Amino acid sequence: MTLGCLNRAGRRLAACSFAILTLLSMSTLAFSQADSNPKWDLFAGYQYLHPGGTVPLGDPTSPTSYTVPDMTKGFGTALTYNFDPHWGGEADFGHNWNSSDTETTLSGGPRFIWRTDDGNYFLHALLSYNHLGVSGLSNGSSGIGVILGGGMDLPINKSFAWRLFQADYVWARHNYADYADPQFPNLRRPELEGARLRTGVVFSWGGEEVVPVAATVSVQPSEVFVGEPISATAVAKNFDPKHALTYTWSGNGPQVSGKDTTASIDTTNATPGTYTVTVQVNDPRVKKNNVASASTTYTIKPLPPKNPPTMSISASPTSLVAGGSVNLSASCSSPDSVPTSVANWTSTAGTVSGSGSSATLSTAGVPA
């Protein structure tokens, strides 16, 4: 790759970085993350540098242009404090060298990151101190510059990730007035338009633990007669209060009609019994820790009868000698078709025993 191509690529990278950073900043108004985010991120790894600059060598009145060669040996590290799920303040250090030259940067500025299940994508814009040491010049040169770029991390677990790549545009302005006369302005005040590539590991720690989302549901009243209405109410817990939630209602009995946090249960013509109503709460704007459900029961009782039950009783035999036994049989029914049953047997004389619709009366000891 030629110097000109790298310089043009660096300028395009800078423009794209600012554009993407602006778009991602706007996107935070519409989206957010589900998981907790670490307070600190620490990167450490390998760094390749293309300095992208030319400096003067030799006689200041007739200097020789020296293009600083690529530096394949190097390392970099960056420490970021995360203010919120997306924005952080980053401190960055990088150092590269070859057989005769060195370049060192110490930088700081904002970083934007977007964390997903499959990758963490970041952009940063850093103000930089740049020190360039060139063989043949007695003293190195220090200048002010900027570093613009970004990259992608592959999360291994909550605390560890691999930086798949990082690509940055590295710009700096230096002063070589002692090595080039004024008639050589480009050598006297050279600009570095370089590019650097990084890969390595990222350690993350701190931050609050994820609080699982939850939901509760209640019904009022919890016991009704057939045909009486029931109202169900859901309460969502630990969801982002800025997000609109969706509520899905269901049940294993009468029809449940729900909207948002409330639902109505129609018990018209329902079969008496105990049933369950369930609500599922979902935050569609996040992918993890975004669903909670809850259930509760209610009871539908049969309508009370409008008319009293009727009963008849028969005895066999109807006449006997004292001391004998009489077989008794009872028949019960309800004009409202309500189930009926014989609760108990009693007698004013003798001893009666039995259950249900049949009993036996003993007349032992009973006067005629």
Side-chain angles (χ1 to χ4, degrees), residues 82 104 109 139 152 169 212 336-337 343:
N82 296 301
T104 304
N139 296 315
M152 174 184 179
Y169 169 67
D336 302 311
S337 300

Side-chain angles (χ1 to χ4, degrees), residues 7-72:
N7 289 343
R8 290 191 296 273
R11 286 190 289 270
R12 286 194 294 268
L13 177 61
C16 291
S17 297
F18 276 121
I20 296 173
L21 192 60
T22 301
L23 290 174
L24 290 178
S25 300
M26 296 172 62
S27 71
T28 59
L29 299 175
F31 298 95
S32 67
Q33 298 159 298
D35 290 343
S36 66
N37 296 277
K39 277 298 180 184
W40 297 93
D41 294 321
L42 174 64
F43 163 78
Y46 168 76
Q47 174 176 293
Y48 164 88
L49 179 67
H50 169 74
T54 301
V55 300
L57 290 179
D59 185 359
T61 62
S62 181
T64 300
S65 296
Y66 174 69
T67 300
V68 183
D70 291 358
M71 301 180 187
T72 58

Side-chain angles (χ1 to χ4, degrees), residues 259-301:
K259 181 179 180 182
D260 296 333
T261 59
T262 60
S264 60
I265 303 172
D266 183 6
T267 66
T268 302
N269 300 322
T271 301
T274 298
Y275 299 98
T276 300
V277 60
T278 301
V279 64
Q280 184 181 81
V281 186
N282 177 50
D283 185 347
R285 292 172 59 179
V286 296
K287 293 183 178 180
K288 298 177 65 177
N289 191 35
N290 64 330
V291 178
S293 62
S295 300
T296 192
T297 59
Y298 60 93
T299 300
I300 301 176
K301 299 183 294 184

Side-chain angles (χ1 to χ4, degrees), residues 58 153 184 236-237 262 267 313 328 344 346:
D153 299 336
F184 304 100
K237 300 180 179 180
T262 60
T267 66
I313 188 171
L328 305 174
N344 192 21
T346 62

Side-chain angles (χ1 to χ4, degrees), residues 160-185:
F160 181 74
W162 170 42
R163 180 148 298 175
L164 182 62
F165 74 89
Q166 177 181 332
D168 294 316
Y169 169 67
V170 182
W171 178 89
R173 186 176 178 85
H174 287 270
N175 185 348
Y176 285 96
D178 294 337
Y179 302 96
D181 287 348
Q183 62 268 33
F184 304 100

